[in-house]
Each structure stands twice: as C-alpha cells, then as structure tokens.
Amino acid sequence: MANLADLISAAPGDRTAIILPDSGLEITYSKFRDQVFSLADSLASLGIGPGDRVATVLPNGLPAIVSFLAASIAGTAAPLNPNYREDEFKFYLEDTSAKILLCPPDGAAEARKAAGGKIPVYSLEMDETGFVRIAGAGNGRKSPAPSDDGVALILHTSGSTGRPKRVPIRHRNLAASARNIVHHYSLAPDDVALCAMPLFHVHGLVASTISTLTSGGTVVVPSKFNPLSFWRTVRDCRVTWYSAVPTIHSLLLSRAGEERPAGCEGLRFIRSCSAALPPEMMAKMEAVFGAPVLEAYGMTEASHQMCSNPRPPGARKPGSVGPGTGVKISIMDAQGNHLAAGERGEVVIQGPNVVDGYENNPEANAKSFTNGWFRTGDQGFLDGEGYLTLTGRIKELINRGGEKIAPREIDEVLLTHPAVAEAVAFGVPHATWGEEVAAAVVLREPHPEAAILAYCKERLADFKRPKKLYIVETIPRTATGKIQRGAVAKALAGAEG
Ligand code: AMP
C-alpha cells in the first residue's frame, strides 16, 4: 500500500517532474514537492482536515496538479470540469459537500457564482518561477501525512438512473492503479509523457500524470489540447508517449494527412483509452505516426486502467482492449455466473485499484457488486488468451469523445421547460466524437426547436447539451410498449441502439 505523498517522494530532487510548454517552465521534483507540501499546509491552515472536500475548477497546468496532490494530502480533492454551467456547479459543490473552492485568479465566473458566498473561494496563483500558492493564505499549520486508506479523490460517474454517483477513490486505489500502469508500460525515469486529457478525469490524472510521477519521469502539461502545436511540443520536449481518446487521435490524424510529423521518432508507444478505437484508425495511426498504438480500457471506479494491449513483442489485437493489467477480469451473466471464453456477458473486475463502493449509495452498491466482483455495466467477451473485447453497454451512457453523459440528466433539464411534456435523450453516432447528444420531445404547445436548444445551452455544459432535437407526436416505443433509448435512437436517427 502507499499514498500519493509517498509516490511523489521517490524521484531524485534534481530531475524534471513537470514541463509547462506554454511558458517554457521546467519544475524539478524538489521544487514540485516543496510546493505540494506547502500548499497542503496552507489548506490545513484554512481548516481542511482528513476527508474535507477541496473543490477545484482549473484548466490543465501546474496549479491543477499541485492543488490535486495538496488537497488529497490535507483532505480530499474534488476537481470539477471548468466547462460546467452555474446550476451544474451548484449541484457538484453541494453534492460533494465542498468545504472550499479553489479557482484561478481570473475566470471561473460560473463556479464563483455557484459558490454564492456559502462556500469560501480562494484564488490559486502561480508566480513567474512556477510556484503555486493560495493568495493570502499562510501555512502555519502542518498537514498530517495522509493515510493509505484515506479518500484522496472524489469524482462523479454519470449514473444511468438518478443523479451522478459519487466515487470515493482512496490513496491505496490510486497507488495500485499508478503502479499497474507503470509496470504494464515499463515507465521509467527517462520517459516523458504528454498530458493531452483534462485533469478533472482519471484518464489525465492517473494515466498521464500520477503514473509518470510515480516512475520518476517527466510530464508535459499544455493548458489545453491544441492539434496545431501538439507535434511541436512532442518534438521540443522529447515526448516518449502520450495517452488520449480516439477523438483526439482522429484530429491529429486528419492534420497529419499521410505525412509523419517530426517528433514521432521519439515515441515508444501511443495509448488510446476511454472510448472505442476503431481498428482502421489504429492501423492508420501506426502507419502515419510509426509507433505502436495500445488500446486500453479504463473507468473511474477502477481508478482508471483495467486492461491494456501490451507493448511489442507482446501481441496487440485491434478491436480488443487487451488483457487485465494487474486487475482480474471476468465475464458474468445476469445471475452472477462466470462465463467461459468466447461467451458474451457483463465485464466484472476485481483488484486493489477498484473502489470499495459508491459514497452513501447502498442501492447502487447492491447493484454494482456481486460476490466481491464489481459490475462495470460494459458488455464483452474474453478470448482464450485473456484479451477482452467490448461489445456494448448495459448502462445508459452517452460517450462523447470520452466524456460520459447520463441521458437522464438531459431529460431532466428538458422536462423543466414549460412547453415540454415528454423528453428522451440518446446518443447518435458521430464521426469525430464517436457519439453526440440528441433528444426527442413531445410538446404541450408549439414551441420553436431553437428556443428549446437554447434553453438547454443555458443550463448544461456544452458537451452535454443536445445538438439535435426531434419534435415528435409520441415517443417511439418497443413492441412491449417500453421506452428504450436505443430503440428511440434507432427509430428517429437510424442509429443502432
Ligand atoms: P469513465 O469513468 O469516464 O472513465 O468511463 C468509463 C467507461 O468508458 C467504461 O465503463 C466504458 O464504457 C468506456 N470505455 C473506456 N475505455 C474504453 C474503450 N477502450 N473502448 C470502449 N469503451 C471504453
């Protein structure tokens, strides 16, 4: 077992922990650790103790990483997506019982409004040398060392029924996950990872950042993904691997055309996770970028990685997410029987990276665990060599470029509109995003489609709002009279549900 404070403490102090390509700053491990522990002390001085939630609303960058680690040491980190609207922030701040909110000195207006004077808001500042502090806070009180069992991070998963579920991820879960990733890809101190994914999600936090810091390597952190400067950063920072969702891979591929971008020669591998990677895209990436592409399978409740294809000489199988990586994988039927190789069923997992359960949600926990196995809500089968292929989802989620959206949340917003009598949101296939959000509504009275879409825009983060609305007389039902989102999608948008 271990905790995040231990994980970041192993590397020699003079090695580079973080490169910020936007400003050209390079932060050594000793400077990095100094500011993490000093910020943890500032949080303790502001009254944060074990278990107290520190909400953060930050773009990718040094403040996001330092505040995540400091909050997990002094209390519990609760990073939020900066793209949320005020109502969404209100929900998340209240649901996590945030004790304080950390924001950049400028911006985060919606989050600040949502805190509404009820939750103290502090600005995180970074000076020109790359040192992050809370403006106006002292650090007189020492934060105690975190316990391995303490909740380091609290995230939400989009539950298919009801509101999002809280996932408490303990230090020991994160440590196990980071070590699995380090081991599986043989990450070493001379590796340089580029973090292309947001730091409010386990993909960017665990796969790119914590794993790299655990291995004593360097993580390059641009403030946002930019396909125009991506390869320049890869080349200039001597990046050896990066991880991203297929949407990002596809944007990079279309910019590159047939030409291999300079910088690719330093790549040991490229990792793809969080949504299905089409085998044709994988083949094209390998041909153009000249590096092995390893598809992985991750989820918040598993502190990210469950499976991954191995690096050569191990076999990578297109269309498969690979074997379990320090995580036991099995396939279960609805009755809880384990199925044989080749048989389709629900993917279930076991391992020290898997959370003990959702927070304060006995109903979800009863449904999600069977005989000590966590039910992922994904469907698939294992082959004779233990490689997993995902074939579908039991849970109702829209996966838009790796961002998970609960369709129920969209229904609820639509139903608050006075003209809407019935609403059903669903995912439709999309060339770049994988899936995009659409919805069908039955109206009480005539109302323009654009006005309803605009209503959603005010209340939902951009990635969640429906881009297409089907105004119908009745919601299409299955033969047995049930409303099934897949069937609605198929009837209205021709999508395979
Ligand atoms: P999240 O908790 O946001 O990481 O989402 C986890 C979910 O993303 C999983 O339960 C899967 O439904 C989906 N997912 C993750 N990796 C893959 C993959 N390689 N292929 C298809 N779906 C994936």
Side-chain angles (χ1 to χ4, degrees):
M1 289 220 287
N3 59 62
L4 295 179
D6 300 332
L7 292 191
I8 62 164
S9 296
D14 57 350
R15 301 225 23 134
T16 303
I18 293 178
I19 297 179
L20 303 169
D22 300 359
S23 58
L25 284 171
E26 296 195 5
I27 314 295
T28 60
Y29 270 92
S30 80
K31 181 165 178 174
F32 177 62
R33 289 191 286 255
D34 279 355
Q35 53 184 314
V36 167
F37 293 118
S38 157
L39 195 71
D41 292 344
S42 295
L43 290 169
S45 308
L46 290 171
I48 297 296
D52 288 337
R53 276 86 208 265
V54 178
T56 56
V57 176
L58 296 161
N60 275 16
L62 190 62
I65 299 175
V66 171
S67 64
F68 159 66
L69 287 162
S72 76
I73 291 169
T76 297
L80 299 177
N81 184 338
N83 299 315
Y84 287 145
R85 311 307 308 255
E86 183 181 347
D87 285 352
E88 293 168 306
F89 279 124
K90 263 193 197 142
F91 167 78
Y92 287 108
L93 289 172
E94 203 170 294
D95 194 64
T96 44
S97 314
K99 212 162 170 198
I100 64 170
L101 169 64
L102 302 179
C103 291
D106 305 308
E110 301 261 317
R112 286 175 188 270
K113 267 194 274 170
K118 282 190 253 153
I119 299 169
V121 184
Y122 292 91
S123 294
L124 265 188
E125 291 175 343
M126 182 172 85
D127 69 18
E128 65 286 356
T129 71
F131 203 97
V132 175
R133 292 182 181 82
I134 297 175
N139 55 2
R141 193 185 297 171
K142 281 264 158 269
S143 163
S147 95
D148 298 358
D149 222 25
V151 177
L153 170 65
I154 191 118
L155 290 174
H156 284 82
T157 50
S158 318
S160 8
T161 49
R163 298 301 278 173
K165 294 177 276 194
R166 281 196 305 277
V167 188
I169 308 180
R170 296 176 194 279
H171 280 272
R172 59 177 157 80
N173 300 135
L174 289 169
S177 188
R179 285 171 171 164
N180 284 343
I181 294 169
V182 170
H183 178 74
H184 185 72
Y185 302 113
S186 307
L187 299 183
D190 52 4
D191 270 310
V192 179
L194 193 155
C195 177
M197 297 299 297
L199 287 164
F200 51 80
H201 185 273
V202 276
H203 189 157
L205 265 181
V206 182
S208 304
T209 308
I210 305 177
S211 305
T212 302
L213 296 173
T214 300
S215 68
T218 303
V219 53
V220 179
V221 192
S223 59
K224 58 173 173 252
F225 168 70
N226 179 351
L228 301 180
S229 56
F230 187 86
W231 293 111
R232 194 177 343 121
T233 307
V234 168
R235 191 193 57 207
D236 293 353
C237 301
R238 298 170 189 276
V239 169
T240 61
W241 71 283
Y242 67 88
S243 183
V245 284
T247 300
I248 287 187
H249 298 311
S250 141
L251 290 171
L252 290 171
L253 263 185
S254 24
R255 264 204 69 75
E258 301 297 319
E259 213 172 305
R260 179 164 303 169
C264 284
E265 61 287 349
L267 291 176
R268 285 206 295 128
F269 65 95
I270 298 172
R271 179 177 181 274
S272 182
C273 194
S274 299
L277 178 71
E280 330 59 268
M281 197 195 292
M282 174 179 164
K284 183 97 201 282
M285 287 169 69
E286 295 204 341
V288 177
F289 302 145
V293 173
L294 312 178
E295 181 169 6
Y297 169 45
M299 126 178 254
T300 307
E301 292 89 328
S303 318
H304 194 51
Q305 185 165 292
M306 298 170 274
C307 293
S308 173
N309 280 280
R311 283 181 314 117
R316 50 193 188 284
K317 301 188 185 175
S320 158
V321 294
T325 52
V327 182
K328 280 205 237 164
I329 310 285
S330 185
I331 304 293
M332 219 179 235
D333 67 12
Q335 288 70 43
N337 304 305
H338 291 268
L339 301 178
E343 290 184 318
R344 286 182 186 207
E346 182 167 3
V347 180
V348 294
I349 57 168
Q350 239 179 22
N353 56 314
V354 181
V355 296
D356 302 348
Y358 296 104
E359 190 173 82
N360 202 11
N361 200 336
E363 200 189 323
N365 288 335
K367 280 197 197 133
S368 303
F369 289 89
T370 303
N371 304 330
W373 291 84
F374 174 75
R375 310 187 81 110
T376 61
D378 294 310
Q379 268 170 332
F381 63 89
L382 288 166
D383 71 9
E385 291 175 303
Y387 280 56
L388 175 69
T389 298
L390 296 171
T391 54
R393 282 195 302 257
I394 300 162
K395 55 192 174 191
E396 282 184 341
L397 280 186
I398 302 170
N399 188 344
R400 183 181 184 271
E403 295 255 33
K404 310 305 179 310
I405 301 158
R408 174 78 181 264
E409 227 185 295
I410 323 282
D411 300 352
E412 282 173 6
V413 169
L414 283 164
L415 288 169
T416 59
H417 190 288
V420 174
E422 284 181 72
V424 177
F426 50 87
V428 289
H430 187 276
T432 318
W433 294 110
E435 289 180 277
E436 183 53 283
V437 185
V441 288
V442 176
L443 297 182
R444 287 182 215 285
E445 65 214 38
H447 203 80
E449 179 186 333
I452 301 176
L453 289 176
Y455 178 86
C456 292
K457 194 171 177 183
E458 276 168 34
R459 289 160 179 82
L460 291 166
D462 217 50
F463 70 92
K464 280 190 206 162
R465 71 182 167 88
K467 309 298 181 303
K468 166 97 192 117
L469 201 65
Y470 294 85
I471 298 180
V472 293
E473 293 288 312
T474 52
I475 303 277
R477 286 167 199 267
T478 61
T480 52
K482 279 200 214 132
I483 293 181
Q484 265 176 5
R485 291 181 203 274
V488 178
K490 198 168 173 191
L492 295 175
E496 286 304 322

